[in-house]
Amino acid sequence: MGKIILANDGIAANAKAELESLGFVVDTNHYDGAELDAKIREVECIIIRSATKIREDLIDKAVGGNLKLMIRAGVGLDNIDVKYAESKGFVVRNTPFASSPAVAELAIAHMFSLARYIYISNVTMRNGEWNKKAYAGIELGGKTLGLIGFGRIARETAKKAIALGMKVIYTDIVGKSNLLPECKFASMNEVLANSDFLSLHIPFIKEVGTVIGEKEFAKMKDGIFIIDTARGKVVCEKALIDALDSGKVAAAALDVFEEEPTKNEAIYTHPKISLTPHIGAATVEAQDRIGIETVSVVKEVLL
Ligand code: MLT
């Protein structure tokens, strides 16, 4: 039997077929608990999306087995204890290139949804309401989009926003970028104070914690719109609710949540929040590209 790759959270059909053509056996069953503890020793590579968590205890189970490579089919590596896995000799990789257009399109979709009350019209019309007067919106053109983080997804969002006539300012811990000179680098405080729309494009780092909390909301322009397609924990949900209720934040769009699936009723029933269930990368095209990128990592590391 060929070497086994476990795609524990599924894999695009194109990638599965290509891995099989390279001689791998691709197991697409989902294992948890003791079953996963055993499986992870058998396989050469484990590919996960966001559902499977690879924490220290699971990594310990893999030591001494066949496992060499862990691939996060996606961008965020927060569901793998990367440093610990690397310290035990495993190679850990993600697919940082594939999903940027999909996430950027979702961020822009949420901006339109907030600016024109699309999300809430869909709720109230189903209840038989006709709130034409209440839903006078604003245009994105001419507004300032602030980006927190200026990596691939943020830059893709910036390009689309510029095409819509928005001005783009950004802040990033690595400083000013040479890319997209039409976007203006600014400090975090300047971005908070000057953005009409604020979109987050940063990872959640445990040691850093929440990036947008009560203090940051206080520094924002009144009536700002917030979009989070990055990670739920970078925005404090309690502080967001307070800022929405006080009118500081006009409306917010969340694709990601402190806990997923979210159980925070104040969040998922709030009339000023547009919701999607962590679908930033969930397009046919992005999943195909993630598959291609995953295969190239397998080839590079295992062949
Ligand atoms: C990612 O990190 O790639 C995205 O959040 C997509 C996902 O995990 O589903």
Side-chain angles (χ1 to χ4, degrees):
M1 191 160 82
K3 292 175 176 176
I4 307 170
I5 292 181
L6 172 60
N8 206 47
D9 301 325
I11 188 167
N14 62 340
K16 181 172 186 283
E18 192 167 350
L19 291 171
E20 285 168 347
S21 78
L22 293 169
F24 292 101
V25 173
V26 183
D27 183 349
T28 54
N29 292 308
H30 179 84
Y31 301 98
D32 271 322
E35 273 192 325
L36 183 57
D37 291 351
K39 270 284 158 199
I40 201 163
R41 297 182 61 79
E42 275 174 39
V43 303
E44 296 275 321
C45 167
I46 180 166
I47 301 169
I48 63 167
R49 292 173 65 182
S50 54
T52 303
K53 319 278 178 242
I54 303 186
R55 299 293 175 216
E56 293 188 5
D57 52 342
L58 182 60
I59 294 166
D60 286 339
K61 302 277 178 350
V63 173
N66 295 324
L67 190 75
K68 294 183 180 61
L69 173 63
M70 303 176 187
I71 305 179
R72 165 69 165 97
V75 182
L77 279 158
D78 45 317
N79 53 335
I80 302 182
D81 286 338
V82 177
K83 282 198 186 123
Y84 190 75
E86 287 173 345
S87 78
K88 300 287 173 187
F90 300 108
V91 178
V92 183
R93 299 285 289 272
N94 63 350
T95 59
F97 301 99
S99 56
S100 309
V103 184
E105 285 190 12
L106 185 70
I108 297 282
H110 270 302
M111 285 184 220
F112 277 122
S113 178
L114 297 180
R116 304 302 299 272
Y117 297 94
I118 298 168
Y119 68 103
I120 195 69
S121 298
N122 270 285
V123 176
T124 54
M125 284 195 75
R126 281 170 174 74
N127 291 335
E129 296 172 39
W130 184 261
N131 296 333
K132 185 174 164 101
K133 285 211 179 97
Y135 297 156
I138 58 163
E139 294 169 8
L140 298 188
K143 302 298 181 301
T144 298
L145 169 63
L147 298 171
I148 299 189
F150 204 57
R152 292 180 192 86
I153 296 172
R155 295 196 301 272
E156 199 62 42
T157 306
K159 282 190 227 160
K160 295 177 196 313
I162 290 166
L164 292 168
M166 299 185 88
K167 291 175 218 129
V168 179
I169 57 176
Y170 69 94
T171 193
D172 193 295
I173 47 163
V174 301
K176 189 174 182 319
S177 168
N178 294 327
L179 304 166
L180 299 186
E182 57 274 55
C183 302
K184 194 172 155 272
F185 176 74
S187 67
M188 175 72 134
N189 284 346
E190 285 169 329
V191 169
L192 295 176
N194 293 301
S195 301
D196 300 302
F197 289 79
L198 183 75
S199 190
L200 291 125
H201 300 284
I202 46 174
F204 174 70
I205 301 167
K206 229 186 338 189
E207 295 72 27
V208 175
T210 298
V211 174
I212 301 294
E214 199 185 339
K215 262 192 354 233
E216 289 71 29
F217 282 115
K219 292 176 186 168
M220 292 177 191
K221 204 185 222 188
D222 290 342
I224 192 172
F225 294 88
I226 312 269
I227 299 94
D228 187 7
T229 55
R231 280 296 177 269
K233 287 182 180 152
V234 299
V235 177
C236 170
E237 288 183 354
K238 160 88 179 65
L240 173 63
I241 298 283
D242 291 345
L244 286 163
D245 290 345
S246 73
K248 179 77 188 174
V249 173
L254 301 178
D255 184 50
V256 287
F257 303 85
E258 284 178 355
E259 183 190 4
E260 294 184 8
T262 180
K263 295 185 186 61
N264 188 345
E265 205 176 332
I267 287 280
Y268 67 75
T269 61
H270 202 288
K272 292 182 180 173
I273 301 181
S274 175
L275 301 155
T276 45
H278 202 150
I279 54 168
T283 65
V284 172
E285 295 86 347
Q287 291 305 316
D288 281 350
R289 287 190 301 266
I290 287 172
I292 292 165
E293 214 178 324
T294 302
V295 172
S296 65
V297 173
V298 170
K299 283 183 180 166
E300 186 196 318
V301 180
L302 295 184
L303 294 185

